[in-house]
Amino acid sequence: MRALLLFLLCLVRLPAADKPLVLDEVLDSVRGSYPPYLAALIEMDIANGRVRQASGAFDLTFGASAGGVPSGYYDGRTGDAVLEQALPFWGGSVFGGYRLSSGFLPNYNKDRTQRDGEAILGFKLNLLRDGTLDRRRAQLYQARVDQELADPIILRQYLDFLRAASISYWNWLAAGHRWRLAEELLRVAKDRDIAIAEQAERGAVAPIVRLDNERLVVSREIGVVQAQRRFEAAAIELSLFHRTANDEPILNGRQRLPAVFPEPAAPSSERLEADVAKALIFRPEIRRIDLNLQKADIDRRLAKNNLLPNLDVTLQANQAVGARTQKDMERLEMEAKLQFSVPLQRNEAKGRLEMIEAMMSRLQTERDFARDRIRADVRDALSAVEAAHRQIGRAQRNVELAVQLEQAEAVKFEQGAADLFALQIREQATFDARQLEVEAHAEFLRALANHRAAVAADAPASLAR
């Protein structure tokens, strides 16, 4: 285990400065160089790529074709080159190009052109189905919603990362203070061991008293080793969040420990309604569901569109190029076409519409519960802060009483009115009380971190609603 710890220490970079490490330094590191957060930001690039991909359905398209009759009575040959641009409305498109035929073709052949070819220009429109919405536009609209969806997805991870980093920092600070307390408890036993040794040489105390104190020293040395290991584990955990600009983990030693915990500010239960209102605005869960409802609504509109019959109109103009023309063809010819079709049962569209409406109903139920969940989270977080704050006061009073009892027991021991065992019990009680005080401070600060996450207090303006 020790070898593994040394190996991990080699992987991280020690901080250059010994000034106390503050929480803001860790959180700034999370914002700037924490790999999972940087990976989350890529979600926006993915969404932008989806929009561009969906926009490809409206790209200008070039097409060309050529054909002929290799054998038979007619020996005509045809060819064309056409540019077509999809329109963002009525599912239509405009097209234009050039076509040419040669050889012998019957006059009823639609591919037959003037001798020097023809320029063509036309448009298509969908008057019913695919008019107000079609699959291409639906996919583009949904891709744009996905762009907005990236924000609540990133924000949820951002808030979770800041909360985890804050809790890791407070755990590191608490572990450092516990290590100091363990060392102080050991120092007291060692100092007493020197005094007892002198008394044993003079015959003032029995040898077994010194033996008992030596046992106590060894026991407390074990406690120091355990406390040191817990601190090193907390430092390694914190190094995942605290990094250099080059994305190298920073291992913070005990020299960077702040001397004391921040002074706890008394919470107020009167802020509950304001916190709930803020959370309902800035928490990403409701916005994510609202955007998913928007996507589902686009699907619903598309399904309703698919219930409509097809009624498509096409208008095309053919203009002769050059002076040579066919005798039976005009230089400018116009062609209009109206096409109608409808699936009689339309089960696919009806089934899809039923499915989408059910999904929207489920999302709406989830949205209602999300509001209840947010309110419960805020209430629970504020309750935890209030309870932790009350524990700090009780823990401090517990330390005061334990110190008084230990001091009284020490005086009795020096006067010979008490034995070493009773003094050890009082020292251990004081140590336990100080440990509880450290844990009370850490619990309060962890509760504050959870509260900030519950109300989305750290939500950046770029990601918040």
Side-chain angles (χ1 to χ4, degrees), residues 127-196:
L127 300 182
L128 292 178
R129 182 173 180 174
D130 294 340
T132 57
L133 185 69
D134 60 8
R135 184 168 299 279
R136 294 177 304 177
R137 281 174 287 167
Q139 290 176 345
L140 178 59
Y141 297 159
Q142 289 184 329
R144 288 172 178 167
V145 175
D146 283 336
Q147 274 186 311
E148 297 185 59
L149 261 174
D151 285 346
I153 292 173
I154 294 172
L155 178 57
R156 178 68 275 160
Q157 295 181 74
Y158 176 80
L159 296 174
D160 289 342
F161 294 153
L162 291 189
R163 172 169 55 185
S166 300
I167 291 175
S168 180
Y169 172 80
W170 298 127
N171 288 340
W172 169 80
L173 180 57
H177 279 269
R178 292 192 193 96
W179 187 10
R180 287 177 176 173
L181 290 174
E183 288 184 329
E184 176 63 20
L185 187 65
L186 173 60
R187 184 195 61 79
V188 170
K190 286 184 174 181
D191 289 346
R192 184 169 56 240
D193 189 63
I194 296 174
I196 291 177

Side-chain angles (χ1 to χ4, degrees), residues 3-69:
L4 177 60
L5 178 60
L6 292 175
F7 173 72
L8 292 174
L9 296 181
C10 293
L11 294 179
V12 296
R13 181 173 178 179
L14 293 173
D18 291 341
K19 63 179 181 180
L21 177 65
V22 295
L23 177 61
D24 286 344
E25 184 178 339
V26 176
L27 299 185
D28 288 343
S29 176
V30 171
R31 298 182 184 102
S33 58
Y34 185 51
Y37 179 55
L38 299 181
L41 292 176
I42 298 176
E43 185 68 30
M44 182 60 70
D45 297 328
I46 295 173
N48 293 338
R50 291 195 185 109
V51 171
R52 185 169 185 178
Q53 179 184 14
S55 300
F58 298 90
D59 286 349
L60 180 64
T61 303
F62 172 77
S65 64
V69 182

Side-chain angles (χ1 to χ4, degrees), residues 78-349:
T78 62
D80 64 65
V82 179
L83 289 172
E84 184 173 7
Q85 175 63 64
L87 299 175
F89 52 87
W90 288 104
S93 64
V94 294
F95 56 89
Y98 174 79
R99 64 193 188 108
L100 174 67
S101 67
S102 62
F104 182 38
L105 289 172
N107 56 11
Y108 56 78
N109 192 312
K110 295 295 184 181
D111 294 329
R112 180 169 171 260
T113 69
Q114 302 285 4
R115 298 180 185 275
D116 294 325
E118 297 174 346
I120 60 174
L121 181 65
F123 66 87
K124 302 175 184 176
L125 290 179
N126 301 317
L127 300 182
L128 292 178
R129 182 173 180 174
D130 294 340
T132 57
L133 185 69
D134 60 8
R135 184 168 299 279
R136 294 177 304 177
R137 281 174 287 167
Q139 290 176 345
L140 178 59
Y141 297 159
Q142 289 184 329
R144 288 172 178 167
V145 175
D146 283 336
Q147 274 186 311
E148 297 185 59
L149 261 174
D151 285 346
I153 292 173
I154 294 172
L155 178 57
R156 178 68 275 160
Q157 295 181 74
Y158 176 80
L159 296 174
D160 289 342
F161 294 153
L162 291 189
R163 172 169 55 185
S166 300
I167 291 175
S168 180
Y169 172 80
W170 298 127
N171 288 340
W172 169 80
L173 180 57
H177 279 269
R178 292 192 193 96
W179 187 10
R180 287 177 176 173
L181 290 174
E183 288 184 329
E184 176 63 20
L185 187 65
L186 173 60
R187 184 195 61 79
V188 170
K190 286 184 174 181
D191 289 346
R192 184 169 56 240
D193 189 63
I194 296 174
I196 291 177
E198 294 176 352
Q199 293 175 352
E201 290 179 357
R202 298 195 307 267
V205 297
I208 194 174
V209 175
R210 184 182 182 190
L211 185 63
D212 187 23
N213 196 72
E214 287 178 355
R215 178 204 58 79
L216 183 64
V217 168
V218 173
S219 175
R220 292 180 179 180
E221 285 175 342
I222 294 173
V224 170
V225 172
Q226 292 174 340
Q228 179 180 356
R229 169 66 190 105
R230 294 188 186 99
F231 174 78
E232 290 170 347
I236 293 172
E237 176 67 22
L238 182 62
S239 71
L240 296 175
F241 301 98
H242 191 207
R243 294 170 173 266
T244 66
N246 296 326
D247 195 27
E248 297 179 7
I250 300 175
L251 188 68
N252 294 283
R254 195 167 60 166
Q255 72 278 6
R256 298 210 65 188
L257 278 171
V260 295
F261 282 91
E263 188 66 27
S268 173
S269 57
E270 297 176 358
R271 61 191 286 186
L272 175 61
E273 293 304 320
D275 285 346
V276 169
K278 182 177 181 180
L280 290 174
I281 295 174
F282 291 103
R283 283 274 291 267
E285 291 90 335
I286 293 179
R287 186 184 179 199
R288 179 183 59 81
I289 295 174
D290 286 342
L291 291 172
N292 281 321
L293 278 169
Q294 288 186 29
K295 290 183 65 177
D297 184 61
I298 294 171
D299 276 334
R300 179 172 62 178
R301 289 166 52 200
L302 183 61
K304 288 183 176 180
N305 164 80
N306 293 340
L307 292 172
L308 299 173
N310 284 305
L311 182 60
D312 306 332
V313 60
T314 303
L315 182 63
Q316 178 177 322
N318 303 325
Q319 174 66 50
V321 176
R324 298 187 302 162
T325 61
Q326 303 282 6
K327 294 181 180 180
D328 58 342
M329 299 179 67
E330 298 291 337
R331 292 188 61 82
L332 175 63
E333 293 187 342
M334 303 287 291
E335 180 183 351
K337 181 169 63 175
L338 194 64
Q339 193 172 19
F340 177 84
S341 67
V342 58
L344 295 180
Q345 277 125 355
R346 296 175 291 179
N347 286 324
E348 189 276 336

